[in-house]
Amino acid sequence: MKSAGSAPKRVVVVGAGMVGLATAWFLQDHGVEVTVVDRNGVAAGASWGNAGFLTPGLAAPLAEPSTLRYGIGSLGKRDAALSIPLMPSLHTLGFLAHFAARCTHRAWQQGVDRLASLNTGALGAFDALVAGGVDCAPRESSIFVGYERAEQSAPLLREVDALARSGVEIAAHRAGADRRPAQFSDAITSVWELTGQRFLEPEPFLQTLAQSIRARGGDIREGVDVRGIRHGSGPVFVDTCSTAPLRADAVVVANGAWISRFARDLGIRVRVQAGRGYSFSVDTGSVAAPLYLPASRIACTPYQGRLRVAGTMEFRGSNAPLDSNRVDAMIRAAAPMLRVRDWDVQDVWVGPRPMSHDNLPLVGATKLPGVYAAGGHGMWGILQGPITGQLLARQIITGVVPPQLEAFSPVR
């Protein structure tokens, strides 16, 4: 264990999404001076357009047998919910090969059990942020899950049962007619309610979190693109494309899908691929609770008086332009299931979720002394970001790996 005198006093965090900001905030709890840098700005990457589900009871690995079957069947179809190009890059091809090998029931259950160490503490970490002054509390709510046919609910119930066995608090029951959301159309004949969940609007929450970091003396620098990280005789240097090198006692790399830029230097062998998600908002009238349409792989949440519609998984480059065909495909899939006043979409967004090939995040020390990774959370970065930051901050200060992070070493 590190002595108190050897704990880092100054830390640079690369990335201003949920994971990076939460790590910075919890480091401040230990008295650390933090500087956060981001190539664009706060919540500019995968965090901004996320559905905002805070549902530990649904946070399971994407890789499982039905995903593999669906992926093979939709190969080359750009409008499929899971879109895989016919001619992927070598990096993407390597990722897909490793990912496919994890699409077994045994590997999925193993992933559920390992992720439980984050999922069981996820909501408590949000509570710590709010208690510490982040004045934008998530809202408690049931999640309503809709199906066209009752038998389609079987996979959800198996997933809920598996997550409950792993220690996550989750319960599912059929929703009565008086609980049926008004946004579900008559095509939805079977509605399930997941109780004890929460949700948030990601961008306002992250802006409030950033304000809290600044109010506590932290420095957040936007528009700073990092091109390299060096370990000197004592300090660590962060080289940028526009400023003098930043000097720190430790560095946390939490830049989402762009973590692959530094993978070789950091000794990270797990492949991280951008799994791009899309979202937009529509007018459905007053929206009281989040909605989930598993058959269409679409999640919906209240968003500034409208309904945010989010979903799809597109394996393309992090910086590839938005594909309007995918937005149209989401509308075609969701329209029969939802009562929408007008499909005049607004707030159209695409963001690169950082997907690891083994469906587990990369959290902890790298091979470069003083440099830590925090990423690869896939679709669950919003949910698992605060607990990741809380645990990683403890590791950075004490030098001891918390038991909850042992399965997620970046150099595994």
Side-chain angles (χ1 to χ4, degrees):
M1 179 181 293
K2 293 181 180 178
S3 66
S6 64
K9 295 179 174 59
R10 293 171 297 177
V11 176
V12 171
V13 178
V14 181
M18 179 66 89
V19 178
L21 291 178
T23 303
W25 194 95
F26 282 109
L27 282 168
Q28 288 180 309
D29 257 9
H30 293 278
V32 174
E33 178 185 329
V34 297
T35 298
V36 181
V37 298
D38 193 278
R39 64 197 297 267
N40 292 310
V42 171
S47 294
W48 190 91
N50 190 282
F53 278 27
L54 302 184
T55 51
L58 292 178
L62 176 65
E64 48 96 18
S66 66
T67 301
L68 180 61
R69 291 193 296 271
Y70 184 89
I72 293 173
S74 61
L75 188 64
K77 298 178 181 178
R78 296 191 66 174
D79 61 348
L82 175 60
S83 177
I84 301 171
L86 278 173
M87 299 185 66
S89 67
L90 289 177
H91 176 85
T92 301
L93 193 61
F95 167 86
L96 291 172
H98 285 89
F99 182 90
R102 300 287 300 176
C103 288
T104 67
H105 291 296
R106 180 178 179 182
W108 183 84
Q109 184 63 60
Q110 183 184 63
V112 166
D113 293 340
R114 290 178 175 174
L115 288 173
S117 64
L118 297 181
N119 292 335
T120 53
L123 298 184
F126 276 96
D127 292 338
L129 290 173
V130 173
V134 180
D135 188 20
C136 189
R139 293 168 57 183
E140 295 190 9
S141 175
S142 293
I143 306 293
F144 291 91
V145 187
Y147 298 96
E148 292 180 279
R149 301 185 305 278
E151 62 270 20
Q152 290 177 310
S153 63
L156 171 75
L157 299 181
R158 286 196 297 269
E159 183 173 316
V160 167
D161 182 62
L163 282 149
R165 291 198 307 271
S166 76
V168 175
E169 292 186 11
I170 179 70
H173 61 266
R174 290 185 184 274
D178 61 327
R179 298 285 293 167
R180 180 187 174 95
Q183 283 73 27
F184 279 157
S185 75
D186 292 339
I188 299 295
T189 64
S190 178
V191 179
W192 289 79
E193 182 174 356
L194 307 181
T195 57
Q197 308 302 298
R198 303 184 195 178
F199 72 96
L200 52 71
E201 293 184 12
E203 198 267 344
F205 184 90
L206 285 166
Q207 292 294 346
T208 304
L209 179 55
Q211 290 170 10
S212 179
I213 291 169
R214 291 186 174 111
R216 301 162 103 203
D219 184 13
I220 300 178
R221 305 182 187 182
E222 300 177 303
V224 177
D225 195 6
V226 173
R227 58 185 176 86
I229 301 169
R230 297 177 287 120
H231 184 269
S233 57
V236 185
F237 294 92
V238 177
D239 295 322
T240 79
C241 297
S242 56
T243 69
L246 304 175
R247 176 174 173 165
D249 301 316
V251 172
V252 177
V253 181
N255 59 341
W258 289 276
I259 199 170
S260 296
R261 281 186 177 187
F262 312 115
R264 179 175 297 179
D265 293 339
L266 302 182
I268 297 175
R269 293 176 294 179
V270 175
R271 292 175 183 263
V272 177
Q273 166 72 39
R276 289 157 36 105
Y278 285 72
S279 70
F280 53 84
S281 72
V282 293
D283 182 8
T284 64
S286 178
V287 186
L291 314 174
Y292 182 35
L293 301 170
S296 303
R297 292 173 168 81
I298 286 176
C300 307
T301 42
Y303 174 74
Q304 299 183 8
R306 295 166 64 83
L307 185 73
R308 169 171 279 173
V309 180
T312 83
M313 180 69 67
E314 178 188 45
F315 289 129
R316 295 178 66 196
S318 300
N319 297 316
L322 183 147
D323 185 349
S324 61
N325 291 324
R326 296 195 61 73
V327 175
D328 294 340
M330 290 174 63
I331 293 173
R332 289 195 298 272
M337 314 296 175
L338 300 175
R339 298 186 193 279
V340 174
R341 292 177 176 175
D342 187 347
W343 284 97
D344 176 25
V345 302
Q346 298 179 19
D347 309 301
V348 179
W349 169 90
V350 60
R353 308 182 192 101
M355 308 293 297
S356 68
H357 76 231
D358 62 4
N359 289 246
L360 300 177
L362 311 168
V363 186
T366 70
K367 78 170 188 179
L368 198 62
V371 181
Y372 300 81
H377 294 79
M379 299 180 294
W380 303 111
I382 292 292
L383 168 69
Q384 296 170 347
I387 184 63
T388 294
Q390 189 177 49
L391 295 170
L392 182 58
R394 187 187 309 166
Q395 177 179 344
I396 292 170
I397 295 301
T398 66
V400 177
V401 179
Q404 300 96 318
L405 294 183
E406 288 178 351
F408 309 131
S409 169
V411 293
R412 60 183 179 265

